[in-house]
Amino acid sequence: MELVLSGAIGILAASGIWLLLRPRTFQVIVGLCLLSYAVNLFIFSMGRLTFGAPAIMPRGGFVNPASYADPLPQALVLTAIVISFATTALFLVVLIASRGLTGTDHVDGKEP
Amino acid sequence: MLPGPDHLIILPILIPFFAGALMLIYDERQRRAKLTISMISVLASLWAAVELLIRSKGSELTGNNDIGFYLLGDWAAPYGIILVIDRLSAMMLVLTGLLALPALTYASAAWARQGQHFHSMFQFLLMGLNGAFLTGDLFNLFVFFEVLLAASYGLLLHGGGQLRVRGGLHYIAINLTGSLLFLIGVSLVYGATGTLNMAQLSNLVPMLPEARRPLFHAGATIMGLAFLIKAGIWPLSFWLPTAYMAGAAPVAAIFAIMTKVGVYVIVRLSFLLFGPGAGASAGFGGEMVMLGGMATVTFGFIGVLASQGVGRMAAHLVLVSSGTVLASAGFVLSGQDPQILAASLYYMLASTLAISALFLLIEPMGREDGGIAALLALTADAYGLDEREEDRQPEVGLAIPGTLTVLGLAFFACVLVLAGLPPLAGFIGKLGILQGLLMQGEEVPRLAWIFVTLLIVSGFATLIGLVRVGIQTFWASEGDPPRVLALEIAPVMVVVGLLILMTVKADVTLRYMLDTADAVLQPSIYAEGVLGAPRAADEEAEVVIP
């Protein structure tokens, strides 16, 4: 499980960074998306990996925290997803504006 | 129940938030109403900030330090969201207010009409800034960073045009990547320590098991990278001059504080987490910040000398300013005299104000015939706004006489502060840093000598660069002087007045900075204060029981 998850995060991050360094704006935005997926999975894994454990504890009585998943990283991931979704959407608008104004999709606004 | 004085702490976040949201309802043509709401909001936030500043000075009893808290939803301290106000945050809040007021006034003359929703985005930017200064845990810091960045993306693009869109594209890409680094760092810190509350982290760091310390250090470093991108440290600063130059004048003026957010977080977190009491982690990263800061100063002043336009020059001055403060913080973190930190905070206040004023001066200085009127006519066409007669009125009446003299004097004051020449505030700040570096007994380390040299050389380079621009603009210019509205020059004069006030009242300001530096160097004050924050429910219960 650890191996699969770390491999997935690694591949996502590596492809994301590769695309981020490419000269076309669309590649940059896809790269940013992949990177943010990798980061979200990474945050999730920082709460330790558990199988089939709920994150919400019942009210009252004794609860054994070991049989529950850490809820905090899940909340953090949720916030991070929403924020990166919004900023990526904004970036998309700027990308289209840039394409319209310069007539090229190169990140510097002109063909090299 | 009426909100008590405790609620004052959250006001600098709530006021701009509601003002910004309210203005979204208004139509773009109701400029006067929008301006009024913006002004009221900025003034109210500034008032709250000043009130918090006075309160955070505390009394003799509390050791000249009073840390205020606001527990959101009344959850106990390390679990819930907490806002914390101490001397350092209060100072930054006041600085934000002092920069926002002139920038907004300047924008009201013309720039606010150049695109849509300027006032709302301006308010959201203020909300993000104030929130970042107030928050007491790392994840909320991320959230407020995103709020201020999202607003800054919009503001940078304000006014449109190819240059802005291109600069904005780079700026957004860099900052999105920076935010992802921030997230990686935050989650590593959480994985290593199990908390994100700054105060609890500060307590935990000395006792961290050795196996987890490298993970924690890695997390803190990656997170620090995100802040350093914002602070514009070399070699992560190549985006900065282009972005700041592309922004409209009032936007660049308020952006002057954006690098200082990065500097603030670096100062706050490095002393909380890696201060002298942090055991094996004490002084971690100090050397890197110090060297990086010095490299930034070098890059900045070479950029100032190499720049052709005054806009690019001012953007490089931003780098010199934040590099100086970062390097000073690095020196103090590596165990040198706290006076350096106090003086560099003073310098930061002065240089940020001066850079902001410089950005506001650039546009009127370079204005050609017709200037703003032509610009307005153009955008009125582009946006199809109906340009009523009454809107044009102020342009006829209120142009100031002796334009070049007034502009020249204000420019001169900015040069004095930024180059660190007497008698203005920049000199006092730099002198304090030099004194702290050199007056530490028998042996002055070699790095300190290098920093001393850099400070003096960067001041000299600033002087050469800016004087060259000044001569071209004010002495060697031909033709009619530019038409500048009183509304545009007044904010600059206010900032210059503030700088003079800072100089005259240097003893008061410096004493505040010294106490601030002392408090920053004793993270236990902050940590104990936060973790001991009483819940309102507990207090009420105590009242009932007897």
Side-chain angles (χ1 to χ4, degrees):
Chain A
M1 179 70 179
E2 281 83 357
L3 204 64
V4 175
L5 187 72
S6 46
I9 294 174
I11 291 167
L12 278 174
S15 348
I17 291 169
W18 163 257
L19 283 172
L20 189 65
L21 300 174
R22 303 290 300 157
R24 303 285 155 196
T25 45
F26 188 70
Q27 289 168 321
V28 171
I29 203 164
V30 175
L32 279 169
C33 281
L34 290 182
L35 257 183
S36 76
Y37 296 153
V39 169
N40 289 338
L41 281 175
F42 182 74
I43 302 175
F44 200 68
S45 71
M46 275 298 128
R48 308 294 183 269
L49 297 175
T50 43
F51 283 103
I56 298 170
M57 298 176 186
R59 181 183 269 273
F62 174 78
V63 275
N64 177 15
S67 55
Y68 290 91
D70 190 345
L72 196 76
Q74 307 193 2
L76 301 188
V77 168
L78 204 61
T79 318
I81 289 174
V82 173
I83 288 177
S84 67
F85 180 66
T87 44
T88 310
L90 195 115
F91 190 57
L92 204 59
V93 174
V94 179
L95 184 156
I96 292 168
S98 168
R99 173 75 180 75
L101 280 170
T102 60
T104 160
D105 63 346
H106 195 275
V107 284
D108 286 333
K110 56 177 188 283
E111 294 297 328
Chain B
M1 197 181 82
L2 275 171
D6 292 343
H7 294 276
L8 189 68
I9 297 171
I10 202 172
L11 280 190
I13 299 175
L14 286 187
I15 295 172
F17 174 63
F18 281 116
L22 180 68
M23 279 185 294
L24 287 176
I25 305 169
Y26 280 80
D27 189 71
E28 207 53 47
R29 275 166 298 188
Q30 288 166 296
R31 286 179 208 130
R32 210 150 281 169
K34 282 194 168 197
L35 182 66
T36 317
I37 297 173
S38 297
M39 270 298 170
I40 292 173
S41 153
V42 169
L43 284 173
S45 318
L46 184 61
W47 166 79
V50 171
E51 190 71 17
L52 287 170
L53 181 93
I54 295 169
R55 215 189 271 179
S56 72
K57 284 201 315 200
S59 59
E60 290 290 329
L61 273 176
T62 52
N64 285 330
N65 248 310
D66 194 17
I67 298 191
F69 322 95
Y70 191 80
L71 302 172
L72 274 95
D74 208 19
W75 290 89
Y79 308 111
I81 292 172
I82 187 168
L83 300 180
V84 186
I85 180 102
D86 70 340
R87 281 171 165 261
L88 188 60
S89 346
M91 183 189 99
M92 298 306 290
L93 285 181
V94 172
L95 180 60
T96 313
L98 289 181
L99 288 179
L101 196 58
L104 187 65
T105 317
Y106 185 95
S108 70
W111 277 107
R113 299 174 219 166
Q114 300 267 321
Q116 300 199 327
H117 297 304
F118 175 86
H119 289 299
S120 291
M121 287 190 293
F122 193 83
Q123 296 296 326
F124 291 140
L125 181 73
L126 292 184
M127 173 201 168
L129 285 166
N130 290 341
F133 294 137
L134 280 171
T135 180
D137 75 86
L138 292 178
F139 200 76
N140 270 306
L141 188 65
F142 167 74
V143 173
F144 281 118
F145 257 81
E146 288 307 311
V147 170
L148 81 89
L149 284 174
S152 79
Y153 303 150
L155 281 176
L156 186 62
L157 297 169
H158 181 76
Q162 196 171 327
L163 195 68
R164 291 207 178 100
V165 170
R166 203 173 63 198
L169 196 75
H170 296 179
Y171 175 75
I172 298 176
I174 286 273
N175 277 302
L176 285 182
T177 319
S179 303
L180 293 177
L181 284 177
F182 191 169
L183 278 176
I184 297 177
V186 164
S187 51
L188 271 173
V189 167
Y190 180 76
T193 63
T195 181
L196 289 175
N197 185 292
M198 295 181 196
Q200 206 183 9
L201 274 176
S202 165
N203 279 347
L204 275 177
V205 171
M207 301 176 281
L208 214 57
E210 279 316 303
R212 290 203 188 166
R213 200 174 289 277
L215 197 63
F216 173 68
H217 281 180
T221 313
I222 295 175
M223 204 162 61
L225 215 55
F227 304 137
L228 289 174
I229 291 176
K230 262 128 215 155
I233 202 170
W234 185 87
L236 304 171
S237 60
F238 298 113
W239 57 274
L240 193 140
T242 323
Y244 277 49
M245 262 173 62
V251 173
I254 192 73
F255 272 25
I257 194 150
M258 298 259 293
T259 51
K260 301 305 181 293
V261 184
V263 174
Y264 159 83
V265 178
I266 289 283
V267 169
R268 157 116 305 155
L269 285 183
S270 39
F271 286 101
L272 267 182
L273 305 184
F274 306 119
S281 295
F284 176 77
E287 204 145 292
M288 272 326 286
V289 173
M290 179 166 81
L291 292 176
M294 292 204 287
T296 315
V297 174
T298 316
F299 178 73
F301 83 73
I302 292 175
V304 169
L305 285 179
S307 307
Q308 289 303 317
V310 60
R312 187 164 279 276
M313 208 173 273
H316 281 98
L317 285 171
V318 173
L319 292 180
V320 173
S321 156
S322 70
T324 307
V325 186
L326 280 176
S328 311
F331 271 105
V332 181
L333 197 61
S334 318
Q336 297 205 19
D337 200 11
Q339 194 207 329
I340 303 174
L341 187 65
S344 69
L345 289 177
Y346 181 83
Y347 171 81
M348 175 170 85
L349 218 59
S351 61
T352 312
L353 284 169
I355 288 170
S356 179
L358 193 60
F359 273 120
L360 292 183
L361 273 173
I362 289 170
E363 202 246 346
M365 270 166 55
R367 188 174 293 166
E368 315 233 316
D369 279 342
I372 210 122
L375 211 95
L376 274 183
L378 199 77
T379 40
D381 282 349
Y383 283 93
L385 298 176
D386 73 310
E387 194 69 25
R388 282 167 302 173
E389 267 316 295
E390 54 169 355
D391 290 329
R392 288 177 186 269
Q393 276 302 316
E395 309 226 358
V396 186
L398 281 168
I400 49 162
T403 314
L404 277 184
T405 322
V406 178
L407 283 180
L409 281 176
F411 185 75
F412 182 61
C414 292
V415 174
L416 284 186
V417 172
L418 290 170
L421 291 180
L424 284 186
F427 172 70
I428 300 173
K430 274 200 176 173
L431 187 70
I433 301 178
L434 294 181
Q435 240 178 8
L437 285 170
L438 296 178
M439 304 255 170
Q440 40 190 348
E442 58 286 358
E443 188 109 353
V444 179
R446 188 175 298 163
L447 273 172
W449 276 115
I450 298 177
F451 188 41
V452 167
T453 320
L454 273 179
L455 273 184
I456 294 170
V457 174
S458 71
F460 186 58
T462 311
L463 189 66
I464 295 177
L466 287 178
V467 163
R468 207 178 62 197
V469 172
I471 290 175
Q472 275 168 9
T473 321
F474 298 116
W475 287 351
S477 68
E478 290 168 9
D480 294 332
R483 268 177 62 82
V484 179
L485 308 183
L487 205 54
E488 290 174 305
I489 199 69
V492 180
M493 290 327 248
V494 169
V495 177
V496 171
L498 281 172
L499 286 170
I500 294 173
L501 190 71
M502 260 184 83
T503 318
V504 176
K505 289 278 174 197
D507 55 334
V508 184
T509 336
L510 267 176
R511 205 175 310 132
Y512 184 85
M513 298 304 168
L514 269 174
D515 288 341
T516 308
D518 275 344
V520 168
L521 279 170
Q522 294 168 358
S524 54
I525 299 181
Y526 182 95
E528 279 163 25
V530 171
L531 294 177
R535 288 171 59 207
D538 293 343
E539 278 182 351
E540 275 164 27
E542 270 168 35
V543 173
V544 175
I545 291 162

